Amino acid sequence: DQQVKQNSPSLSVQEGRISILNCDYTNSMFDYFLWYKKYPAEGPTFLISISSIKDKNEDGRFTVFLNKSAKHLSLHIVPSQPGDSAVYFCAASVNAGGTSYGKLTFGQGTILTVHP
Amino acid sequence: GAGVSQSPSNKVTEKGKDVELRCDPISGHTALYWYRQSLGQGLEFLIYFQGNSAPDKSGLPSDRFSAERTGGSVSTLTIQRTQQEDSAVYLCASSLRHNPDTQYFGPGTRLTVL
């Protein structure tokens, strides 16, 4: 039972354009969502997060949008750069007002390629 | 500062052998996690440590898998009588207690069972 799904295995974007990565979840208990980025032969690194009390969180070129009714979140990267080429994982947790101990449920990942 | 380190980076073993994978978390991080990434899959939670105790072992796939943590620091994941389906990248992460969802990952150990 895949509780967090990233239905696009890959995405190819031109440098300077917008990259939009999507993620869907099924568990309505999830209330905290994160995006991690992974380069080959390295572990994932935290990118950005959002709590379910918000519908948008922005950090520089990265913005995460949350649509709770649709159980959908997306990561926007504007403008995309070749160095953004990596695997992006969506993750979710049951934070429950700060009681989370960090058990993350991850999606399968989307390979983003940004062409110069 | 030093990040999370894991050893070995690669391990090739024969079916039926035991393997030990090691994780050195970031100093001061009380929480430690093991995940597994099989080919084409996302990261699968295995076990969580807070200090030396493991309140959540729910992700361990079978009783062939065990893990321990000593001194609130180094952790070892042991797989006994390895099977081909155990082949995966095993990732360790650590975090601060007050911010558990922001986890710092090591580079992983790629395990191949022949």
Side-chain angles (χ1 to χ4, degrees):
Chain A
D1 175 28
Q2 191 79 27
Q3 296 187 61
V4 178
K5 297 182 185 179
Q6 294 175 255
N7 292 318
S8 298
S10 63
L11 176 67
S12 183
V13 171
Q14 202 69 30
E15 180 179 7
R17 300 289 184 107
I18 185 171
S19 295
I20 300 177
L21 298 113
N22 293 303
C23 178
D24 296 293
Y25 61 96
T26 57
N27 187 344
S28 57
M29 296 295 291
F30 288 145
D31 59 0
Y32 195 72
F33 305 89
L34 309 94
W35 285 92
Y36 279 79
K37 174 179 172 180
K38 184 182 183 303
Y39 292 118
E42 295 182 11
T45 55
F46 170 75
L47 190 56
I48 193 169
S49 63
I50 188 167
S51 164
S52 61
I53 61 174
K54 296 185 175 181
D55 54 18
K56 176 182 174 182
N57 189 27
E58 192 171 352
D59 183 3
R61 295 185 298 113
F62 302 90
T63 303
V64 56
F65 294 91
L66 175 63
N67 182 333
K68 284 179 301 222
S69 61
K71 293 193 178 66
H72 177 84
L73 63 154
S74 61
L75 174 68
H76 293 209
I77 307 173
V78 183
S80 302
Q81 300 173 353
D84 296 330
S85 297
V87 180
Y88 288 78
F89 290 99
C90 169
S93 75
V94 179
N95 190 275
T99 63
S100 169
Y101 58 83
K103 182 177 182 178
L104 298 178
T105 301
F106 283 85
Q108 310 95 305
T110 297
I111 302 170
L112 174 65
T113 305
V114 181
H115 299 283
Chain B
V4 177
S5 62
Q6 292 185 246
S7 61
S9 55
N10 277 285
K11 176 73 177 177
V12 181
T13 190
E14 292 179 350
K15 178 181 170 181
K17 301 275 189 180
D18 297 351
V19 295
E20 281 190 355
L21 312 180
R22 177 189 168 107
C23 172
D24 279 275
I26 293 173
S27 177
H29 281 194
T30 58
L32 185 147
Y33 313 83
W34 283 98
Y35 293 88
R36 175 170 76 171
Q37 185 181 15
S38 302
L39 192 64
Q41 302 298 312
L43 281 70
E44 173 192 12
F45 169 85
L46 297 178
I47 187 170
Y48 152 69
F49 285 93
Q50 183 60 244
N52 291 337
S53 64
D56 189 346
K57 307 179 184 179
S58 63
L60 294 178
S62 74
D63 58 8
R64 296 186 295 105
F65 288 72
S66 63
E68 65 174 11
R69 189 178 184 195
T70 55
S73 182
V74 172
S75 176
T76 303
L77 177 69
T78 302
I79 309 173
Q80 295 179 308
R81 305 181 302 282
T82 52
Q83 303 294 312
Q84 288 184 332
E85 60 263 28
D86 299 334
S87 296
V89 177
Y90 289 82
L91 289 153
C92 173
S94 68
S95 72
L96 293 167
R97 184 169 191 151
H98 68 270
N99 192 11
D101 293 315
T102 302
Q103 298 175 15
Y104 297 81
F105 284 81
T109 294
R110 180 174 295 278
L111 174 66
T112 303
V113 182
L114 301 176

